[in-house]
Amino acid sequence: MSWRTGAAAALAAALLLAGCVTPGPDPGPATSSTGTSSASSSASSSAPPSSSSAPGPTVSSTPGSVHLTAAGDYGSDPVRAAGVLTALGRAGQDAHLALGDLSYGEAAQEGAWCDLVTSKVGRSLPFELVSGNHESDGENGSIDAFASCLPNRLPGLVGTYGREYYVDLPQRAPVVRVLMVSPGLTFPDGDWDYAVGSDHYAWTERAIDGARAAKIPWVVVGMHKPCLSLGQYACDIGPDLLHLLVSKRVDLVMSGHEHLYQRTAQLAEGAQCTRIAIDSFLPGCVVDRTRSLTAGAGTVFVTAGTGGAVLRPVSTFDSEAGYFAASAGSGTEPPAYGYLDLRATARNLRVSLVRSVGGSSADAFVLTRRGAPPSP
């Protein structure tokens, strides 16, 4: 597939949802033709190899830029899910990042959902998967089967596709490293733990440090479950991974799981916030809650479980509400079904929530780099 170009959207001019604002070393060898590390890291040694096909041909983007989209929690509804997928088919992105909870269908019906996806987005778009809880344990299909019918199409992927991997984009002179991880999920080989001392924690830390050592401007992490939330779930990913991502000043962390949209302020740990408080709010952890942010000052957490599953309410009285700068869920008009749109250059990372109906930007922010990326 050739990387697609398009006119840059005026994301910074987009309005927040009306009424919805709340107070080192490379971690693994080069990949094999299956998109799985040819000598698996310890973090993924117990996982079966990806059944994806060989990556497509080397792609070439507009020099120094990358256009990505992302969302989670799709389903097969002919209006909601199909509408989001149809909008993705028109987005002109270089790749889409699917943040788990895919079909919500029956086991052995994974191919039908893959066919729905490709009928809307085409067969050439890299539709890159990471597992959600509905396919990690086989309740609604197997992530391995989904990874077979929607295989990795990005060259240079390191790790186990569908579970834990990273990829640098563009492959030559990358401006962003995307890490996809699976904290808080149960696979046939057991629970995947990202606590300090675990193989998965170590793999993630090395992947972040490797990006910093390579002077890649942006580090973006995708996973299914969030920690901080205005929804109904607790911090299943665990406090250690949250601390790692914040202490390493990861630029953006994306998730699904909660069927709503939510964006935190830029958060950081330091003298006024030794650790991000979970299930409560520490004002000293907030660096900036505006839409124009300084890269490297902290981390923004965005949940976009807006891919087509029925939206749920936002709890504005949640104990963690003070961390959040924008949100939308059931009852928001127009509905927040849609996808995250990410546009990265060496200087800027622009992010917006694009509604599938009408294509308008429901929320937007920009990170601007004024110096070198953080060191590992």
Side-chain angles (χ1 to χ4, degrees), residues 1-352:
M1 162 184 175
S2 62
W3 287 62
R4 306 169 187 177
T5 60
L11 302 180
L15 298 175
L16 286 175
L17 286 165
C20 295
V21 178
T22 62
D26 188 270
T31 59
S32 69
S33 61
T34 65
T36 303
S37 196
S38 56
S40 297
S41 71
S42 59
S44 57
S45 61
S46 60
S50 169
S51 56
S52 63
S53 63
T58 301
V59 293
S60 59
S61 70
T62 301
S65 69
V66 172
H67 179 194
L68 303 173
T69 54
D73 305 84
Y74 301 86
S76 303
D77 184 85
V79 176
R80 300 187 306 269
V84 172
L85 292 170
T86 297
L88 287 171
R90 298 193 297 258
Q93 69 276 62
D94 299 320
H96 177 71
L97 308 174
L99 303 172
D101 281 7
L102 305 174
S103 72
Y104 295 92
E106 296 181 2
Q109 296 298 314
E110 297 91 343
W113 191 78
C114 294
D115 289 343
L116 171 64
V117 170
T118 56
S119 73
K120 302 299 183 183
V121 307
R123 295 189 176 278
S124 61
L125 174 67
F127 199 93
E128 303 293 295
L129 307 179
V130 74
S131 185
N133 54 286
H134 279 271
E135 48 273 345
S136 66
D137 60 7
E139 176 185 0
N140 296 112
S142 161
I143 185 57
D144 296 331
F146 284 112
S148 178
C149 55
L150 287 172
N152 169 49
R153 296 186 184 279
L154 294 176
L157 182 148
V158 174
T160 302
Y161 176 64
R163 301 191 183 198
E164 184 176 79
Y165 61 93
Y166 74 81
V167 63
D168 297 336
L169 302 170
Q171 190 178 22
R172 296 181 181 178
V175 297
V176 60
R177 173 168 288 187
V178 174
L179 281 75
M180 301 284 261
V181 294
S182 294
L185 298 187
T186 300
F187 291 98
D189 58 3
D191 297 337
W192 277 36
D193 181 16
Y194 283 74
V196 170
S198 68
D199 290 339
H200 297 293
Y201 181 100
W203 187 94
T204 304
E205 183 174 33
R206 291 196 302 271
I208 296 169
D209 288 348
R212 300 306 191 196
K215 304 299 182 184
I216 298 173
W218 305 105
V219 177
V220 173
V221 173
M223 55 189 178
H224 180 60
K225 293 184 174 183
C227 178
L228 306 173
S229 182
L230 298 173
Q232 66 185 43
Y233 294 114
C235 181
D236 289 346
I237 72 168
D240 289 352
L241 181 59
L242 177 68
H243 171 65
L244 175 67
L245 299 175
V246 174
S247 65
K248 293 291 184 180
R249 302 293 174 99
V250 167
D251 300 289
L252 175 66
V253 179
M254 306 179 299
S255 61
H257 197 45
E258 298 281 16
H259 297 178
L260 47 74
Y261 172 77
Q262 55 189 7
R263 170 175 62 88
T264 70
Q266 193 176 38
L267 307 178
E269 296 173 340
Q272 303 301 314
C273 172
T274 55
R275 285 273 183 138
I276 302 290
I278 299 170
D279 295 327
S280 62
F281 171 56
L282 285 179
C285 302
V286 174
V287 176
D288 192 342
R289 62 174 64 254
T290 70
R291 292 184 291 148
S292 182
L293 307 172
T294 299
T299 302
V300 179
F301 294 83
V302 177
T303 299
T306 54
V310 175
L311 296 177
R312 297 178 183 142
V314 169
S315 175
T316 56
F317 297 102
D318 191 277
S319 59
E320 297 170 344
Y323 290 127
F324 287 86
S327 61
S330 61
T332 302
E333 292 297 336
Y337 296 109
Y339 58 87
L340 293 178
D341 186 278
L342 288 71
R343 298 171 190 251
T345 65
R347 179 173 173 79
N348 294 317
L349 176 61
R350 299 180 180 272
V351 184
S352 68

